Amino acid sequence: EVYFGIFPWAELPPNPVGFDLGCGSGRWAYFVAPRVAKLHCIDPSSAALQVARKKLSPYRNCEFDCASVEAIPLPDDSADFGYSIGVLQFVPDTYRGIEACVRKLKPGAPFLVYLYYAFDNRPWWFRAIWRVSDLFRRMISRLPFAVKSPVCDIIAALVYWPLARLAKLLAYLGLPVDAMPLSSYRDRSFYIMRNDALDRFGTRLEQRFTKAQIDDMMRRAGLERIRFSETPCWCGVGYKGRSAA
């Protein structure tokens, strides 16, 4: 609900059909599939789709497609909804990725997108910490996967988990923690921390965008009535305009 809190579930038509672009292990599809008639789970990694198939085995309404965002295997103007959570910042042209997703939507259909944000609402010291961490990302991301994966697990254990649990303790004591690095993980499992550490430090290409930049890309891609959630920053939803059909 943190990511889908602004998604217009009530506005979807009966028996909606949509897609999860960059579904990965099925992390989000697991919660979306029970609420829709059919969900196309799309990812360029066959290994990730194998995990997703196992995770989503309780649901018979999921279809799995090994494809990139440039080759989404759906007809244009066919989907009742779509979403892409924490994926399109990893493709070289993020705007073209959003545009490709919007092309598959029916006119008036919603699209939810989350991209890594550029800390445009954070203080200078927070951005400075990120710049230091980004130096480590550039080095770690170049390692072989057999080395990179355990290194990211160590980061999750020695950085993510202690800071997240400290934030949870301070929040329990009634202290403000939202400005603390990694405080958003205070109620999340170590599995999620491991997964996100690998996403964060294991990828060579990482782009970050301000709220204004995300809004601009969504509008140029043909989305209208755009709105954003404050947590996480900046998760946005928009509707495909009639003129974009």
Side-chain angles (χ1 to χ4, degrees):
E1 292 303 325
V2 172
Y3 288 88
F4 284 83
I6 60 172
F7 190 76
W9 295 107
E11 298 177 25
L12 296 181
N15 302 314
V17 176
F19 62 88
D20 178 339
L21 191 281
C23 70
S25 64
R27 175 177 175 180
W28 310 109
Y30 186 83
F31 298 101
V32 175
R35 307 181 71 165
V36 301
K38 181 180 286 187
L39 183 63
H40 292 272
C41 300
I42 304 166
D43 199 277
S45 168
S46 58
L49 287 176
Q50 288 181 359
V51 178
R53 284 189 177 94
K54 292 180 181 179
K55 186 176 184 66
L56 299 171
S57 59
Y59 308 118
R60 302 302 180 189
N61 61 336
C62 294
E63 293 191 6
F64 302 91
D65 298 290
C66 189
S68 67
V69 67
E70 296 89 357
I72 299 174
L74 299 175
D76 292 352
D77 307 311
S78 65
D80 296 308
F81 70 93
Y83 64 89
S84 182
I85 307 295
V87 173
L88 293 175
Q89 71 274 355
F90 295 133
V91 301
D93 193 331
T94 298
Y95 162 68
R96 292 297 181 191
I98 296 174
E99 186 181 47
C101 292
V102 173
R103 194 179 305 124
K104 303 304 176 182
L105 299 172
K106 294 177 181 178
F111 181 66
L112 181 78
V113 62
Y114 172 70
L115 305 172
Y116 284 2
Y117 76 117
F119 308 113
D120 38 315
N121 64 337
R122 295 289 192 172
W124 67 267
W125 58 264
F126 194 104
R127 294 192 293 271
I129 291 174
W130 173 80
R131 281 193 290 270
V132 172
S133 73
D134 199 52
L135 293 176
F136 285 97
R137 178 191 66 81
R138 294 173 187 270
M139 293 184 290
I140 294 169
S141 65
R142 298 180 181 277
L143 297 172
F145 185 80
V147 178
K148 177 168 53 181
S149 181
V151 167
C152 291
D153 285 348
I154 291 171
I155 292 173
L158 300 184
V159 180
Y160 279 65
W161 193 88
L163 287 176
R165 291 302 178 262
L166 176 61
K168 185 170 186 175
L169 174 61
L170 295 177
Y172 178 78
L173 297 175
L175 299 174
V177 297
D178 288 343
M180 288 181 57
L182 302 177
S183 65
S184 61
Y185 288 89
R186 60 186 179 271
D187 293 315
R188 300 184 186 179
S189 68
F190 184 63
Y191 175 86
I192 291 177
M193 295 179 198
R194 290 180 61 206
N195 184 77
D196 287 6
L198 183 59
D199 272 354
R200 171 70 183 88
F201 290 93
T203 307
R204 290 193 182 189
L205 176 63
E206 180 192 285
Q207 303 176 87
R208 289 184 175 270
F209 302 93
T210 65
K211 182 180 181 181
Q213 288 172 326
I214 299 170
D215 181 85
D216 176 68
M217 289 189 292
M218 293 175 72
R219 292 185 188 281
R220 286 193 289 125
L223 295 172
E224 302 174 346
R225 293 184 285 152
I226 296 168
R227 60 193 181 100
F228 292 92
S229 63
E230 296 297 320
T231 303
C233 305
W234 306 101
C235 194
V237 66
Y239 301 79
K240 182 174 180 176
R242 302 289 171 179
S243 60

